[in-house]
Each structure stands twice: as C-alpha cells, then as structure tokens.
Amino acid sequence: MPLGDPVPDSVFNALAKALGTGIPLSGNIEAGYTYIGQLIAHDIVSGDSGRVVSPFLSLNSIYGAPNCQARYFSGDRFFIGNPWHAADLPRDQNGVAIIPDKRNDENVIISQLQLLWMRFHNFLLDEGYAQTLREAREKVCLLFQVVVIEDFLKQLLHEQVHTHFFVTGGAGPGLTGERLPPEFTHAAFRFGHSMARQGYQLQDRSDPLRERPLLQLFRAQRPITKDEVVDWSFFFGDGVISRAQEAQKIDTFVVASMRRIHRPGQDEDIDIIRTNLMVGREAGVPTGYEMMSRLTDAGVDLQSLGIEKLTGYAKRSGLASSGVDLSHLPLWPYVLEEAMQENEGRNSGLGGLGSLICADVLRTSIKYAPISVFQNGIYDFDAVIARLGDLGRDLVDLGSANGSAPTRRIQMSQILKLFNEKGE
C-alpha cells in the first residue's frame, strides 16, 4: 500500500478489531479529566449539537452565544433543577435538558459536569466574587481556560511541548485556520476515548467496589435519578492524597463498552472505534508518518520537542496483531500507540506528536477567544490570577495550603474545595 493511499477496508477492519483487543490499564490521571476533555471538545468541535459552534474556547456550550442567553437564566443566575430533581439540569416537560449544547447531556458524568460549572457561576454571584452575569461569565471562562492549561494539559502533554507552548511561548506550526484541522478533531483529540473506564463509582463511600457500568451512564435525555448524582471526590483528587478513581491509560486499548454507545435520537448504537477510523478516513486525515513529514517540511524542529518517529509496535500493543505497517498507521491509532510507548510505569499522558497537535490547536483556540487568558498574545499566569481578583487569590491560597508549591498551579480539586467550603 503506497504511502498516502486511503486505508482499504481490510486494513480498516483489522485496525478496528485490534483497538478493541487487550486489557486497559489504569494510569495516574484522575477519571474526571476524561470528561473535562469531552467538555472542551463539545465547546469547540462541531457536531449534532443544535448550535453554531465556534472554534474558540468560550464556554458557549454552557452559556450559549451572548445574544441567546435569556432562556438559560433568571436574572444573572443560571436556572438550576427541574420538577424531578433539584440537583439536575433544567429540563422541559419531556425531560430534555434546556442547555445550549445537547451533547452535554449524553451521559450522566458530562451532564453533571455541565451542571457543576453552572452552579459555580451562581456561586460566584452568591459569594460576591462577581456582581453581574457578564462578570461571572468572564471569570468562569478565564478560570476554565486556566484549568485547561495548568491542570488538564499539564498532565496530558509531553513536558517539553507544554513548556514550549505555555511557558516560553514558542512558535507552533499554526495548524488552525478558519476552522479546526481534522488532524485534531478526527484524530489527536480523540485520545480521550481510550481513557474511558468500563465503569465508574459515582457515590456511596460505604461500598468502594460499587461501580456503574459505562453503558448505563449513556442514556437518552432524561432526568437523573438519586443514585446518579455525582460525588466529585470520586473524579478529582484533593491535590495531596488522591481519593479519586483513575482514568485508563492513553494507549491502544479501548474498553468494550465504547463499541456500544447509545446517543439520543439515534436508532443504532455507535461503535466509537469504527466511527473514529471512519471519520478520519473520510476527512483525509494523514498517517502518523505523513503528519511528521508535513511538520518537518513546515520548519518544525521535532527533535527539540522530544518527538521521534516510531519504529515498531510495543509488545503490549493491540495493534501488533493488525498486520498494518507503522508507516501506514492512521493518525488516531498512531497517537495512541505513541502514548503507550512513551509512558512508563504509572504515567499516562500523550506522546510527543499527539501533544504537539493538541497544544498548537488549543493554544490558538484559547488565545483568540473573545474572553481569553492571553493578553497581547501572552499567557501570564500571575496576570490572570490578578484579573480573577479575590477568586484567583483564594484559589492560589488553597493550592499552596499544604506548604509546598503545587506542580499544577490551579487544579479542579482547588475549585471544588472552595465551592464546598463556602457554597455548600
């Protein structure tokens, strides 16, 4: 098969089978970050969402476009709850969530994560961190972008890549033009599908082995039940001693449940593995080798970023049984294979190429958002904390409460701690 030719059906089927073969392993990233990634994707990646999606990370999936907010708010505060459950999204008489992006109600965890940020908006107004809807939205958006850079990406990106893009402000390949590139939307940023667990514990600390199967958490839009209310301590640790369940490692093993996902309004279940391979093929996404050649031709010094071309499959890789040569491996499974090979022991982030694509696109997505942590093209953490006022200072204080400087300067655990101490 010549380099650059479309993947034939025989190869396609072999890859789909191989990606569902093996035993997923837990890593060192807490389970909640799988769904932070899903929230980012729903905010900037187009889909059957019922809204016009902007490629800039503005939390329009939570707030709606600035001129379309009235139905989600009572005064400056989000509507919260419904006749069936007070700790749920607002819903119409049929149980359909009244939110800008219906994808944020396709499973229990992402639904509750949407609700968490809505409640945090209201919390900022209740506690005096913000005085108006506009100010609260700005602070929530800035804080979410900081979480993406300092917490989510800090854990997931190759260290040299994170430093290059978000510390020293180095140049990137500029993959994003008027729209997000398919190398990101249809390949690299789909790494989260390998992080999904077969099941999740949502609550009930008296029974630490009790898990809800993943397939039970995907459901047609309907009110949550009492036992589906998420205790976020199961998903984000406390920053010192983690109490959270862990996401699966980013690797070539995708749990069986991801082959049978049901989404509202669709008659047939979705096989995520085949879907990812199919959309990548239809969009003309390059192979991993082709992507590296393109970046090199564009003047990117891959070696300085610690990125090297894979030369063989890992012994544990499910892809070794596919019969597909690495030089013809599509970008999505290449990114998963790369992550597997670069992670040792408990590490579970992306490899160099996957990191580079995600860092370049997400930096652009944040940098050019209407509300952005970047000012004059520069991301300065201390300047953002100053813009957040008392909220920023209180969060930083919580992060350093254990007497040592945290590696991740703002974490979801700090936000939850502040919320729980003052708002609950």
Side-chain angles (χ1 to χ4, degrees), residues 359-417:
D360 185 73
V361 172
L362 288 175
R363 182 173 70 173
T364 299
S365 181
I366 294 171
K367 188 174 183 179
Y368 296 105
I371 301 169
S372 177
V373 293
F374 284 82
Q375 290 186 304
N376 300 318
I378 297 172
Y379 168 62
D380 182 327
F381 175 79
D382 292 332
V384 179
I385 293 302
R387 289 170 67 185
L388 291 170
D390 290 342
L391 173 64
R393 287 186 287 272
D394 286 352
L395 287 169
V396 168
D397 288 345
L398 285 173
S400 58
N402 65 347
S404 61
T407 303
R408 289 137 53 202
R409 294 182 289 187
I410 289 290
Q411 301 176 37
M412 282 298 299
S413 59
Q414 291 158 247
I415 294 171
L416 293 168
K417 186 174 182 180

Short mmCIF file of all heavy atoms in Angstrom, two decimals, residues 359-417:
data_model
loop_
_atom_site.label_atom_id
_atom_site.label_comp_id
_atom_site.label_asym_id
_atom_site.label_seq_id
_atom_site.Cartn_x
_atom_site.Cartn_y
_atom_site.Cartn_z
N ALA A 359 -1.58 20.82 21.64
CA ALA A 359 -1.10 22.08 22.20
C ALA A 359 -1.25 23.22 21.20
O ALA A 359 -1.70 24.32 21.55
CB ALA A 359 0.37 21.94 22.61
N ASP A 360 -0.90 22.98 19.95
CA ASP A 360 -0.97 24.03 18.94
C ASP A 360 -2.41 24.49 18.73
O ASP A 360 -2.70 25.69 18.71
CB ASP A 360 -0.40 23.50 17.62
CG ASP A 360 -0.32 24.59 16.55
OD1 ASP A 360 0.55 25.47 16.66
OD2 ASP A 360 -1.14 24.55 15.61
N VAL A 361 -3.34 23.54 18.61
CA VAL A 361 -4.74 23.89 18.34
C VAL A 361 -5.38 24.52 19.56
O VAL A 361 -6.08 25.55 19.46
CB VAL A 361 -5.52 22.64 17.89
CG1 VAL A 361 -7.01 22.95 17.81
CG2 VAL A 361 -5.02 22.16 16.53
N LEU A 362 -5.17 23.97 20.75
CA LEU A 362 -5.83 24.51 21.94
C LEU A 362 -5.26 25.87 22.33
O LEU A 362 -5.99 26.72 22.83
CB LEU A 362 -5.74 23.51 23.09
CG LEU A 362 -6.62 22.26 22.92
CD1 LEU A 362 -6.38 21.27 24.04
CD2 LEU A 362 -8.09 22.64 22.85
N ARG A 363 -3.97 26.08 22.12
CA ARG A 363 -3.44 27.42 22.40
C ARG A 363 -4.11 28.45 21.50
O ARG A 363 -4.51 29.53 21.97
CB ARG A 363 -1.93 27.46 22.22
CG ARG A 363 -1.35 28.84 22.56
CD ARG A 363 0.15 28.89 22.56
NE ARG A 363 0.72 28.76 21.22
CZ ARG A 363 2.03 28.91 20.95
NH1 ARG A 363 2.88 29.17 21.95
NH2 ARG A 363 2.49 28.78 19.73
N THR A 364 -4.25 28.15 20.22
CA THR A 364 -4.92 29.08 19.30
C THR A 364 -6.38 29.26 19.70
O THR A 364 -6.90 30.39 19.68
CB THR A 364 -4.85 28.54 17.86
OG1 THR A 364 -3.48 28.44 17.47
CG2 THR A 364 -5.57 29.46 16.88
N SER A 365 -7.04 28.17 20.08
CA SER A 365 -8.45 28.23 20.47
C SER A 365 -8.67 29.13 21.67
O SER A 365 -9.68 29.85 21.75
CB SER A 365 -8.94 26.81 20.76
OG SER A 365 -10.30 26.81 21.11
N ILE A 366 -7.74 29.11 22.61
CA ILE A 366 -7.84 29.97 23.80
C ILE A 366 -7.36 31.39 23.50
O ILE A 366 -7.97 32.37 23.91
CB ILE A 366 -7.01 29.35 24.96
CG1 ILE A 366 -7.63 28.02 25.40
CG2 ILE A 366 -6.92 30.32 26.14
CD1 ILE A 366 -6.78 27.24 26.39
N LYS A 367 -6.28 31.49 22.76
CA LYS A 367 -5.64 32.79 22.51
C LYS A 367 -6.58 33.76 21.81
O LYS A 367 -6.59 34.96 22.11
CB LYS A 367 -4.39 32.57 21.66
CG LYS A 367 -3.51 33.79 21.46
CD LYS A 367 -2.23 33.40 20.73
CE LYS A 367 -1.28 34.56 20.56
NZ LYS A 367 -0.03 34.15 19.87
N TYR A 368 -7.39 33.27 20.88
CA TYR A 368 -8.25 34.15 20.08
C TYR A 368 -9.72 34.10 20.50
O TYR A 368 -10.58 34.60 19.78
CB TYR A 368 -8.09 33.80 18.60
CG TYR A 368 -6.69 34.07 18.11
CD1 TYR A 368 -5.79 33.03 17.87
CD2 TYR A 368 -6.23 35.38 17.94
CE1 TYR A 368 -4.49 33.28 17.45
CE2 TYR A 368 -4.93 35.64 17.52
CZ TYR A 368 -4.07 34.58 17.28
OH TYR A 368 -2.77 34.84 16.88
N ALA A 369 -9.98 33.54 21.67
CA ALA A 369 -11.35 33.56 22.21
C ALA A 369 -11.72 34.98 22.63
O ALA A 369 -10.84 35.78 23.01
CB ALA A 369 -11.45 32.61 23.40
N PRO A 370 -13.00 35.34 22.56
CA PRO A 370 -13.43 36.70 22.97
C PRO A 370 -13.03 37.05 24.40
O PRO A 370 -12.67 38.18 24.69
CB PRO A 370 -14.95 36.64 22.81
CG PRO A 370 -15.20 35.56 21.82
CD PRO A 370 -14.13 34.54 22.05
N ILE A 371 -13.11 36.08 25.28
CA ILE A 371 -12.57 36.20 26.64
C ILE A 371 -11.38 35.26 26.70
O ILE A 371 -11.51 34.07 26.45
CB ILE A 371 -13.61 35.80 27.70
CG1 ILE A 371 -14.87 36.66 27.61
CG2 ILE A 371 -13.01 35.87 29.10
CD1 ILE A 371 -16.03 36.15 28.44
N SER A 372 -10.20 35.78 27.01
CA SER A 372 -9.01 34.94 26.93
C SER A 372 -8.00 35.27 28.02
O SER A 372 -7.84 36.43 28.42
CB SER A 372 -8.33 35.13 25.57
OG SER A 372 -7.12 34.38 25.49
N VAL A 373 -7.33 34.21 28.49
CA VAL A 373 -6.24 34.40 29.46
C VAL A 373 -5.01 35.01 28.80
O VAL A 373 -4.10 35.47 29.49
CB VAL A 373 -5.86 33.06 30.13
CG1 VAL A 373 -6.99 32.55 31.00
CG2 VAL A 373 -5.45 32.02 29.09
N PHE A 374 -4.98 35.01 27.47
CA PHE A 374 -3.88 35.66 26.76
C PHE A 374 -4.19 37.15 26.62
O PHE A 374 -5.30 37.55 26.26
CB PHE A 374 -3.72 35.07 25.35
CG PHE A 374 -3.06 33.71 25.33
CD1 PHE A 374 -3.80 32.56 25.58
CD2 PHE A 374 -1.71 33.58 25.06
CE1 PHE A 374 -3.21 31.31 25.56
CE2 PHE A 374 -1.10 32.33 25.03
CZ PHE A 374 -1.85 31.19 25.29
N GLN A 375 -3.20 37.98 26.91
CA GLN A 375 -3.29 39.42 26.71
C GLN A 375 -2.10 39.87 25.89
O GLN A 375 -0.95 39.56 26.24
CB GLN A 375 -3.34 40.17 28.05
CG GLN A 375 -4.64 39.95 28.82
CD GLN A 375 -4.73 40.80 30.06
OE1 GLN A 375 -3.86 40.75 30.93
NE2 GLN A 375 -5.77 41.61 30.16
N ASN A 376 -2.38 40.58 24.80
CA ASN A 376 -1.32 40.99 23.87
C ASN A 376 -0.50 39.79 23.39
O ASN A 376 0.72 39.87 23.24
CB ASN A 376 -0.41 42.04 24.52
CG ASN A 376 -1.17 43.29 24.92
OD1 ASN A 376 -2.02 43.77 24.18
ND2 ASN A 376 -0.88 43.79 26.12
N GLY A 377 -1.21 38.66 23.20
CA GLY A 377 -0.57 37.46 22.70
C GLY A 377 0.22 36.67 23.71
O GLY A 377 0.87 35.69 23.36
N ILE A 378 0.17 37.07 24.99
CA ILE A 378 1.00 36.44 26.03
C ILE A 378 0.11 35.83 27.11
O ILE A 378 -0.86 36.45 27.56
CB ILE A 378 1.96 37.46 26.66
CG1 ILE A 378 2.93 37.99 25.60
CG2 ILE A 378 2.72 36.86 27.84
CD1 ILE A 378 3.78 39.15 26.08
N TYR A 379 0.45 34.61 27.53
CA TYR A 379 -0.21 33.99 28.68
C TYR A 379 0.69 34.17 29.89
O TYR A 379 1.81 33.67 29.94
CB TYR A 379 -0.46 32.50 28.43
CG TYR A 379 -0.86 31.76 29.67
CD1 TYR A 379 -2.04 32.08 30.36
CD2 TYR A 379 -0.07 30.73 30.19
CE1 TYR A 379 -2.41 31.40 31.51
CE2 TYR A 379 -0.42 30.04 31.34
CZ TYR A 379 -1.60 30.38 31.99
OH TYR A 379 -1.96 29.71 33.14
N ASP A 380 0.18 34.91 30.88
CA ASP A 380 0.91 35.18 32.12
C ASP A 380 0.01 34.74 33.27
O ASP A 380 -1.01 35.37 33.56
CB ASP A 380 1.23 36.67 32.22
CG ASP A 380 2.04 37.03 33.46
OD1 ASP A 380 1.85 36.39 34.51
OD2 ASP A 380 2.85 37.97 33.38
N PHE A 381 0.38 33.66 33.93
CA PHE A 381 -0.45 33.10 34.99
C PHE A 381 -0.76 34.12 36.08
O PHE A 381 -1.91 34.27 36.50
CB PHE A 381 0.24 31.87 35.59
CG PHE A 381 -0.49 31.27 36.77
CD1 PHE A 381 -1.59 30.45 36.58
CD2 PHE A 381 -0.07 31.53 38.07
CE1 PHE A 381 -2.26 29.90 37.65
CE2 PHE A 381 -0.72 30.97 39.16
CZ PHE A 381 -1.83 30.16 38.95
N ASP A 382 0.25 34.82 36.55
CA ASP A 382 0.04 35.79 37.63
C ASP A 382 -0.91 36.91 37.21
O ASP A 382 -1.72 37.39 38.01
CB ASP A 382 1.38 36.38 38.08
CG ASP A 382 2.26 35.36 38.77
OD1 ASP A 382 1.71 34.41 39.37
OD2 ASP A 382 3.50 35.49 38.70
N ALA A 383 -0.81 37.32 35.94
CA ALA A 383 -1.71 38.37 35.45
C ALA A 383 -3.15 37.88 35.41
O ALA A 383 -4.09 38.63 35.70
CB ALA A 383 -1.27 38.82 34.06
N VAL A 384 -3.34 36.63 35.07
CA VAL A 384 -4.71 36.06 35.04
C VAL A 384 -5.27 35.97 36.45
O VAL A 384 -6.44 36.30 36.69
CB VAL A 384 -4.71 34.68 34.37
CG1 VAL A 384 -6.13 34.09 34.38
CG2 VAL A 384 -4.19 34.76 32.95
N ILE A 385 -4.45 35.55 37.39
CA ILE A 385 -4.90 35.48 38.79
C ILE A 385 -5.32 36.87 39.27
O ILE A 385 -6.33 37.03 39.97
CB ILE A 385 -3.79 34.89 39.68
CG1 ILE A 385 -3.55 33.43 39.33
CG2 ILE A 385 -4.16 35.02 41.16
CD1 ILE A 385 -4.76 32.53 39.45
N ALA A 386 -4.58 37.89 38.88
CA ALA A 386 -4.94 39.26 39.25
C ALA A 386 -6.28 39.66 38.63
O ALA A 386 -7.10 40.33 39.27
CB ALA A 386 -3.84 40.23 38.82
N ARG A 387 -6.53 39.25 37.39
CA ARG A 387 -7.81 39.55 36.74
C ARG A 387 -8.97 38.86 37.45
O ARG A 387 -10.10 39.37 37.47
CB ARG A 387 -7.78 39.12 35.27
CG ARG A 387 -6.88 39.97 34.39
CD ARG A 387 -6.69 39.36 33.02
NE ARG A 387 -7.92 39.35 32.23
CZ ARG A 387 -8.03 38.77 31.03
NH1 ARG A 387 -6.98 38.13 30.51
NH2 ARG A 387 -9.17 38.81 30.38
N LEU A 388 -8.70 37.71 38.05
CA LEU A 388 -9.75 36.98 38.78
C LEU A 388 -10.02 37.58 40.16
O LEU A 388 -11.01 37.21 40.82
CB LEU A 388 -9.37 35.51 38.92
CG LEU A 388 -9.38 34.69 37.61
CD1 LEU A 388 -8.76 33.32 37.85
CD2 LEU A 388 -10.80 34.55 37.09
N GLY A 389 -9.17 38.48 40.63
CA GLY A 389 -9.40 39.18 41.89
C GLY A 389 -9.37 38.24 43.08
O GLY A 389 -8.53 37.33 43.17
N ASP A 390 -10.31 38.42 44.01
CA ASP A 390 -10.36 37.60 45.22
C ASP A 390 -10.50 36.12 44.89
O ASP A 390 -9.96 35.26 45.60
CB ASP A 390 -11.53 38.03 46.11
CG ASP A 390 -11.30 39.40 46.75
OD1 ASP A 390 -10.13 39.84 46.79
OD2 ASP A 390 -12.28 40.01 47.20
N LEU A 391 -11.21 35.80 43.82
CA LEU A 391 -11.38 34.40 43.42
C LEU A 391 -10.02 33.78 43.11
O LEU A 391 -9.70 32.68 43.59
CB LEU A 391 -12.29 34.31 42.19
CG LEU A 391 -12.42 32.93 41.55
CD1 LEU A 391 -13.06 31.94 42.51
CD2 LEU A 391 -13.22 33.01 40.25
N GLY A 392 -9.21 34.45 42.33
CA GLY A 392 -7.89 33.93 41.98
C GLY A 392 -7.00 33.78 43.20
O GLY A 392 -6.34 32.75 43.37
N ARG A 393 -7.01 34.79 44.06
CA ARG A 393 -6.15 34.73 45.25
C ARG A 393 -6.58 33.60 46.18
O ARG A 393 -5.74 32.89 46.74
CB ARG A 393 -6.18 36.08 45.98
CG ARG A 393 -5.41 37.18 45.24
CD ARG A 393 -5.34 38.45 46.06
NE ARG A 393 -6.64 39.13 46.10
CZ ARG A 393 -7.04 40.01 45.20
NH1 ARG A 393 -6.28 40.30 44.16
NH2 ARG A 393 -8.22 40.61 45.32
N ASP A 394 -7.89 33.41 46.36
CA ASP A 394 -8.37 32.34 47.24
C ASP A 394 -8.02 30.96 46.68
O ASP A 394 -7.66 30.05 47.43
CB ASP A 394 -9.89 32.45 47.43
CG ASP A 394 -10.27 33.61 48.35
OD1 ASP A 394 -9.36 34.22 48.96
OD2 ASP A 394 -11.47 33.92 48.46
N LEU A 395 -8.10 30.80 45.37
CA LEU A 395 -7.77 29.52 44.76
C LEU A 395 -6.29 29.22 44.88
O LEU A 395 -5.89 28.09 45.18
CB LEU A 395 -8.19 29.51 43.29
CG LEU A 395 -9.71 29.40 43.04
CD1 LEU A 395 -10.02 29.65 41.57
CD2 LEU A 395 -10.23 28.03 43.46
N VAL A 396 -5.44 30.22 44.67
CA VAL A 396 -3.99 30.03 44.82
C VAL A 396 -3.65 29.67 46.25
O VAL A 396 -2.82 28.79 46.52
CB VAL A 396 -3.23 31.28 44.35
CG1 VAL A 396 -1.76 31.20 44.76
CG2 VAL A 396 -3.34 31.45 42.84
N ASP A 397 -4.30 30.33 47.21
CA ASP A 397 -4.06 30.03 48.62
C ASP A 397 -4.41 28.58 48.94
O ASP A 397 -3.69 27.90 49.68
CB ASP A 397 -4.86 30.97 49.51
CG ASP A 397 -4.31 32.39 49.51
OD1 ASP A 397 -3.16 32.59 49.07
OD2 ASP A 397 -5.04 33.31 49.94
N LEU A 398 -5.51 28.09 48.37
CA LEU A 398 -5.90 26.69 48.60
C LEU A 398 -4.88 25.74 47.99
O LEU A 398 -4.60 24.68 48.56
CB LEU A 398 -7.28 26.42 47.99
CG LEU A 398 -8.48 26.99 48.75
CD1 LEU A 398 -9.75 26.79 47.94
CD2 LEU A 398 -8.62 26.31 50.11
N GLY A 399 -4.29 26.12 46.85
CA GLY A 399 -3.32 25.27 46.20
C GLY A 399 -2.02 25.15 46.96
O GLY A 399 -1.32 24.14 46.84
N SER A 400 -1.67 26.16 47.73
CA SER A 400 -0.41 26.13 48.49
C SER A 400 -0.62 25.86 49.97
O SER A 400 0.29 26.00 50.77
CB SER A 400 0.32 27.47 48.32
OG SER A 400 -0.50 28.55 48.76
N ALA A 401 -1.84 25.43 50.32
CA ALA A 401 -2.18 25.23 51.74
C ALA A 401 -1.37 24.13 52.39
O ALA A 401 -1.19 24.12 53.60
CB ALA A 401 -3.68 24.93 51.87
N ASN A 402 -0.85 23.18 51.57
CA ASN A 402 -0.07 22.09 52.16
C ASN A 402 1.40 22.45 52.37
O ASN A 402 2.21 21.61 52.74
CB ASN A 402 -0.17 20.83 51.28
CG ASN A 402 0.45 21.03 49.91
OD1 ASN A 402 0.75 22.16 49.52
ND2 ASN A 402 0.64 19.94 49.18
N GLY A 403 1.76 23.72 52.10
CA GLY A 403 3.09 24.19 52.41
C GLY A 403 4.11 24.03 51.31
O GLY A 403 5.27 24.36 51.48
N SER A 404 3.71 23.50 50.15
CA SER A 404 4.64 23.35 49.04
C SER A 404 3.98 23.84 47.75
O SER A 404 2.77 23.81 47.62
CB SER A 404 5.07 21.89 48.87
OG SER A 404 3.95 21.08 48.60
N ALA A 405 4.79 24.31 46.83
CA ALA A 405 4.25 24.83 45.57
C ALA A 405 3.75 23.67 44.72
O ALA A 405 4.51 22.73 44.44
CB ALA A 405 5.33 25.60 44.83
N PRO A 406 2.49 23.68 44.31
CA PRO A 406 1.95 22.57 43.51
C PRO A 406 2.51 22.59 42.10
O PRO A 406 2.80 23.63 41.54
CB PRO A 406 0.44 22.84 43.52
CG PRO A 406 0.32 24.33 43.69
CD PRO A 406 1.48 24.72 44.57
N THR A 407 2.68 21.40 41.53
CA THR A 407 3.13 21.29 40.14
C THR A 407 2.11 21.88 39.19
O THR A 407 2.44 22.56 38.23
CB THR A 407 3.39 19.81 39.79
OG1 THR A 407 4.34 19.27 40.69
CG2 THR A 407 3.93 19.68 38.36
N ARG A 408 0.83 21.61 39.48
CA ARG A 408 -0.27 22.17 38.70
C ARG A 408 -0.85 23.32 39.53
O ARG A 408 -1.45 23.11 40.57
CB ARG A 408 -1.33 21.11 38.43
CG ARG A 408 -0.88 20.06 37.43
CD ARG A 408 -1.25 18.65 37.82
NE ARG A 408 -2.65 18.49 38.12
CZ ARG A 408 -3.14 17.50 38.87
NH1 ARG A 408 -2.32 16.61 39.41
NH2 ARG A 408 -4.42 17.40 39.08
N ARG A 409 -0.68 24.54 39.06
CA ARG A 409 -0.92 25.71 39.90
C ARG A 409 -2.41 25.98 40.17
O ARG A 409 -2.74 26.61 41.17
CB ARG A 409 -0.25 26.94 39.27
CG ARG A 409 1.27 26.82 39.27
CD ARG A 409 1.94 28.04 38.69
NE ARG A 409 1.75 28.15 37.25
CZ ARG A 409 2.36 29.08 36.50
NH1 ARG A 409 3.17 29.96 37.07
NH2 ARG A 409 2.18 29.13 35.20
N ILE A 410 -3.26 25.56 39.29
CA ILE A 410 -4.70 25.59 39.53
C ILE A 410 -5.23 24.21 39.16
O ILE A 410 -4.97 23.72 38.06
CB ILE A 410 -5.42 26.66 38.68
CG1 ILE A 410 -5.09 28.06 39.19
CG2 ILE A 410 -6.93 26.45 38.72
CD1 ILE A 410 -5.68 28.42 40.55
N GLN A 411 -5.95 23.58 40.08
CA GLN A 411 -6.47 22.25 39.84
C GLN A 411 -7.97 22.22 40.13
O GLN A 411 -8.49 23.04 40.90
CB GLN A 411 -5.76 21.24 40.73
CG GLN A 411 -4.26 21.17 40.53
CD GLN A 411 -3.60 20.22 41.51
OE1 GLN A 411 -4.13 19.17 41.85
NE2 GLN A 411 -2.41 20.60 41.97
N MET A 412 -8.64 21.25 39.52
CA MET A 412 -10.08 21.09 39.78
C MET A 412 -10.34 20.86 41.26
O MET A 412 -11.35 21.31 41.79
CB MET A 412 -10.62 19.93 38.95
CG MET A 412 -10.87 20.24 37.49
SD MET A 412 -12.11 21.55 37.23
CE MET A 412 -13.56 20.82 37.99
N SER A 413 -9.41 20.20 41.94
CA SER A 413 -9.61 19.93 43.36
C SER A 413 -9.69 21.23 44.17
O SER A 413 -10.45 21.32 45.15
CB SER A 413 -8.48 19.05 43.90
OG SER A 413 -7.22 19.68 43.72
N GLN A 414 -8.93 22.26 43.77
CA GLN A 414 -9.00 23.55 44.47
C GLN A 414 -10.36 24.23 44.25
O GLN A 414 -10.94 24.81 45.18
CB GLN A 414 -7.89 24.48 43.98
CG GLN A 414 -6.49 24.03 44.37
CD GLN A 414 -5.43 24.61 43.46
OE1 GLN A 414 -4.77 23.89 42.71
NE2 GLN A 414 -5.26 25.92 43.48
N ILE A 415 -10.85 24.17 43.03
CA ILE A 415 -12.15 24.76 42.73
C ILE A 415 -13.24 24.08 43.54
O ILE A 415 -14.11 24.74 44.14
CB ILE A 415 -12.44 24.65 41.22
CG1 ILE A 415 -11.43 25.50 40.44
CG2 ILE A 415 -13.87 25.07 40.89
CD1 ILE A 415 -11.47 25.30 38.95
N LEU A 416 -13.20 22.76 43.60
CA LEU A 416 -14.20 22.02 44.37
C LEU A 416 -14.09 22.30 45.86
O LEU A 416 -15.10 22.40 46.56
CB LEU A 416 -14.05 20.52 44.10
CG LEU A 416 -14.41 20.09 42.67
CD1 LEU A 416 -13.94 18.65 42.43
CD2 LEU A 416 -15.91 20.21 42.43
N LYS A 417 -12.86 22.45 46.34
CA LYS A 417 -12.68 22.73 47.76
C LYS A 417 -13.25 24.09 48.11
O LYS A 417 -13.94 24.26 49.13
CB LYS A 417 -11.20 22.66 48.12
CG LYS A 417 -10.92 22.80 49.62
CD LYS A 417 -9.45 22.59 49.93
CE LYS A 417 -9.21 22.69 51.44
NZ LYS A 417 -7.78 22.49 51.78
#
